[in-house]
Amino acid sequence: MKFNTFRRHLREGAKNIRRNGWMTIASVGAVTTTLILVGAFLALMLNLNQVAGNIEEDVEIKALVEVTADEAQVDDIRQQIENIPDVASVDYSSKEEELNGLIESMGEQGETWEMFEQDNPLNDAFVIKTADPLDTFDVASKIEGFDNIQEVNYGEDVVQNLFRFNKYARNIGLALIIGLVFTAIFLISNTIKITIMARSKEIGIMKLVGATNAFIRWPFFIEGLLLGILGSVIPIAAILSGYYYLDTNVSQLITFDFVSLMPFNPFAWQLSLIILGIGAVIGVWGSVMSVRKFLKV
């Protein structure tokens, strides 16, 4: 396509937007509303994924060694655990380290455990992390079958509920985003349909004088693209302004290590490009639907 031809298509697409007046405003408003909701869901889902990822990274298996196991047997247990394909790391924690960790974690109340330093009732333990948190269940069940393992703990109920929640949250968020996107596509499609109907005589004349199908279609594609891009501007500004406020004010109040907002940069660029891309796709897709259905060329 020659540059002059493309410039003509761009000019015609922009004219269509001005010519449609209130319908253009309605379409841009619909895209804006949709993308604000889509962007808000995306921001929420991206941060939920980060929180879920932080929690999943903290999932670990603790295998308690029988108190009767000798050093050779402990070394054998380590070797067996390391030979499991899905294991990423294995750390040995002596019963003295276990007691010190318990005392520190309980703060002032931990002082009551100091009396057991001479007669420690705790077990030596192995702390295991898997390459994929979803492999935790399988690895834990294998370790439970090893000799000289007294007990295996990994917070089974909590971990299963966490993974289940993450799955449902991602699926529901994705379904809502898809539904909103199709709503915006429908509205843009209707706007371009009105343009096609209003210019039916002009399009007929263009066909009679030899205009190609592509030549007639391109202005409508550009119109849809511009509608989608225009509808992306306000959502990007609104969501990033709100997120910046949360990042600079609210994030400081969060006291949990695993709960943290994604850094504003590069989050701002990532979300802006995603919203802009969705807006462009919505616009072009809507125009394609209208052109195929209502423009018989």
Side-chain angles (χ1 to χ4, degrees):
M1 182 187 297
K2 295 181 179 179
F3 176 74
N4 288 337
T5 303
F6 177 77
R7 188 170 61 180
R8 181 264 173 194
H9 293 330
L10 187 62
R11 185 172 60 251
E12 287 298 314
K15 281 183 180 179
N16 289 345
I17 290 177
R18 293 196 302 270
R19 186 183 292 120
N20 288 330
W22 287 108
M23 198 61 195
T24 294
I25 294 174
S27 294
V28 172
V31 175
T32 297
T33 303
T34 299
L35 290 181
I36 285 176
L37 295 173
V38 169
F41 275 118
L42 279 173
L44 178 62
M45 293 306 300
L46 289 171
N47 280 279
L48 278 178
N49 281 339
Q50 172 167 293
V51 172
N54 291 341
I55 296 175
E56 289 174 355
E57 288 178 2
D58 289 337
V59 173
E60 60 185 23
I61 303 168
K62 179 168 285 190
L64 305 183
V65 180
E66 292 280 5
V67 293
T68 56
D70 56 30
E71 186 175 344
Q73 291 171 325
V74 171
D75 290 338
D76 184 59
I77 293 171
R78 175 190 282 274
Q79 188 63 47
Q80 291 182 74
I81 295 174
E82 290 177 344
N83 288 337
I84 299 175
D86 300 319
V87 169
S89 65
V90 181
D91 294 316
Y92 175 74
S93 178
S94 66
K95 61 182 181 180
E96 290 78 19
E97 292 173 328
E98 289 290 293
L99 181 59
N100 290 335
L102 178 62
I103 293 172
E104 291 178 5
S105 66
M106 297 186 67
E108 294 181 358
Q109 296 179 352
E111 295 177 358
T112 57
W113 284 87
E114 292 180 357
M115 66 179 68
F116 294 103
E117 290 180 345
Q118 300 302 320
D119 187 17
N120 191 341
L122 300 181
N123 301 68
D124 296 331
F126 285 102
V127 179
I128 304 104
K129 282 186 173 291
T130 57
D132 184 342
L134 294 176
D135 295 327
T136 300
F137 316 112
D138 293 336
V139 172
S141 63
K142 291 177 181 178
I143 296 174
E144 284 176 341
F146 293 167
D147 293 334
N148 297 304
I149 292 294
Q150 177 178 316
E151 186 179 348
V152 175
N153 298 318
Y154 62 95
E156 179 178 1
D157 293 337
V158 174
V159 171
Q160 287 181 339
N161 289 334
L162 169 66
F163 290 156
R164 192 177 298 115
F165 170 78
N166 291 344
K167 179 181 177 181
Y168 288 146
R170 288 164 182 162
N171 291 341
I172 291 172
L174 181 61
L176 289 172
I177 289 171
I178 291 174
L180 291 168
V181 166
F182 273 101
T183 301
I185 289 173
F186 173 76
L187 291 168
I188 288 181
S189 177
N190 282 342
T191 301
I192 294 177
K193 175 183 70 174
I194 292 173
T195 303
I196 293 172
M197 294 172 66
R199 299 182 62 198
S200 57
K201 290 183 179 180
E202 180 184 345
I203 291 170
I205 294 171
M206 292 171 65
K207 291 172 63 178
L208 289 174
V209 298
T212 64
N213 292 343
F215 187 85
I216 297 173
R217 289 180 177 133
W218 263 101
F220 298 108
F221 294 157
I222 291 175
E223 179 185 355
L225 177 64
L226 293 176
L227 287 173
I229 292 175
L230 287 173
S232 305
V233 175
I234 293 177
I236 290 173
I239 293 171
L240 292 187
S241 297
Y243 193 85
Y244 181 78
Y245 174 81
L246 291 175
D247 186 47
T248 54
N249 295 281
V250 178
S251 61
Q252 299 175 0
L253 304 177
I254 299 175
T255 57
F256 299 103
D257 292 337
F258 59 86
V259 179
S260 61
L261 294 176
M262 296 180 68
F264 185 76
N265 188 18
F267 172 81
W269 292 106
Q270 293 171 348
L271 190 68
S272 297
L273 291 174
I274 291 173
I275 293 177
L276 195 63
I278 292 175
V281 169
I282 287 174
V284 173
W285 196 350
S287 67
V288 168
M289 288 174 60
S290 288
V291 168
R292 284 184 175 180
K293 188 172 182 180
F294 299 101
L295 187 59
K296 305 301 182 182
V297 295

